[in-house]
Amino acid sequence: MTGSPKHPMADFIASFGAARHLLQQAHENGSLIEGMVLYVSLIDGFLRTAIILDKQLAGQSDDLDKYVQQVPGGARFTEKAIYDEALRRGLIDAKLKAEVVELYEHRNAIVHRFFLTGLRYTDLEPYLGRYELVYAQVYGVVRELEDRQIREGKGMTVRGDDDDSEEVASSLADVGRKLGFPVGLS
C-alpha cells in the first residue's frame, strides 16, 4: 500500500474519509452494489472504533492496532467477531446487532451470489436506506464515546483547536493518498 499513512491507526482513520468520499460518488452515480459494500465497511470501521474508544475508557489500551490492521499470521477480527464484541461491551443492543448482521449477509449475497440467486439489481435500492440508518446509529455510538473521552480526559480523542486548518489539510492529504491521489481529494 504505497503512499498510505505509516501508522496502522492513521491509515484506518484516513479510510473513513476515503470510503465516505467513494460512498458519495456511489450515491451520485447510482452505483448500488458499491454503495452497499462501502456502507458495510464503514459500519464495521465505526464499530471497531467504538470498541477501541470503549477499551481506552476502561483502561484497556493494550494492542489496539489488532483491531485496525490484518497482518499475515496475526490476529484477525472478522466483521461478525466485531459485531459480537460490540454487543458484549454494550455498545450496540441485540436489535441493532441483528440489523447489522442482516445487512452484512445481504451484502454478501449480492457480492458472492448475485449470479446464483434471483436477486435483481433494482431490488437493492430499498436496502440503502436501511444501511444509512444503521450507519447513523453506529456513528452516533462513536460520537458519544468520543465526547466521553474528551469529558473524562481518557483515550485518543482530544478537542480540536479553533484554527486547525493545518490538521485538516494533513487529514485531507491522507485521504487523498488512500484514494491514490498525490494530495487532497482532487
Side-chain angles (χ1 to χ4, degrees):
M1 287 188 225
T2 340
S4 293
K6 291 178 179 19
H7 190 274
M9 183 61 80
D11 189 57
F12 181 74
I13 298 299
S15 297
F16 282 97
R20 194 62 198 179
H21 176 75
L22 294 171
L23 182 60
Q24 180 180 345
Q25 286 184 325
H27 277 287
E28 290 168 4
N29 297 328
S31 303
L32 304 179
I33 293 174
E34 183 176 3
M36 292 173 65
V37 169
L38 289 163
Y39 269 124
V40 170
S41 293
L42 283 161
I43 291 165
D44 174 69
F46 279 137
L47 290 175
R48 287 172 189 270
T49 302
I51 291 167
I52 290 168
L53 296 173
D54 190 56
K55 286 178 79 103
Q56 288 177 331
L57 284 163
Q60 304 166 340
S61 297
D62 58 317
D63 200 18
L64 297 177
D65 283 349
K66 68 185 180 185
Y67 289 97
V68 299
Q69 69 176 342
Q70 290 187 353
V71 295
R76 291 187 189 270
F77 290 92
T78 65
E79 286 96 339
K80 286 191 175 181
I82 293 299
Y83 307 157
D84 288 341
E85 185 166 350
L87 178 65
R88 254 192 330 276
R89 297 186 79 81
L91 301 171
I92 59 175
D93 61 21
K95 182 179 176 186
L96 181 55
K97 180 190 175 210
E99 178 72 349
V100 169
V101 168
E102 184 179 332
L103 291 173
Y104 165 81
E105 289 174 353
H106 186 260
R107 186 276 324 247
N108 281 353
I110 298 304
V111 170
H112 301 293
R113 297 183 298 277
F114 188 72
F115 288 99
L116 307 176
T117 66
L119 287 168
R120 294 173 304 153
Y121 191 72
T122 55
D123 295 335
L124 307 182
E125 192 170 2
Y127 279 88
L128 292 176
R130 290 174 60 193
Y131 282 103
E132 183 64 31
L133 288 173
V134 170
Y135 169 91
Q137 287 179 279
V138 295
Y139 177 72
V141 170
V142 170
R143 288 301 308 258
E144 287 175 20
L145 290 165
E146 287 174 331
D147 289 346
R148 206 172 129 212
Q149 281 197 348
I150 290 169
R151 276 194 317 274
E152 295 179 19
K154 294 179 181 177
M156 65 183 171
T157 309
V158 294
R159 186 173 308 283
D161 294 331
D162 289 338
D163 181 24
D164 58 1
S165 55
E166 189 175 309
E167 186 175 330
V168 168
S170 174
S171 294
L172 286 174
D174 287 346
V175 169
R177 280 189 288 279
K178 187 69 179 177
L179 290 167
F181 302 144
V183 288
L185 289 178
S186 298

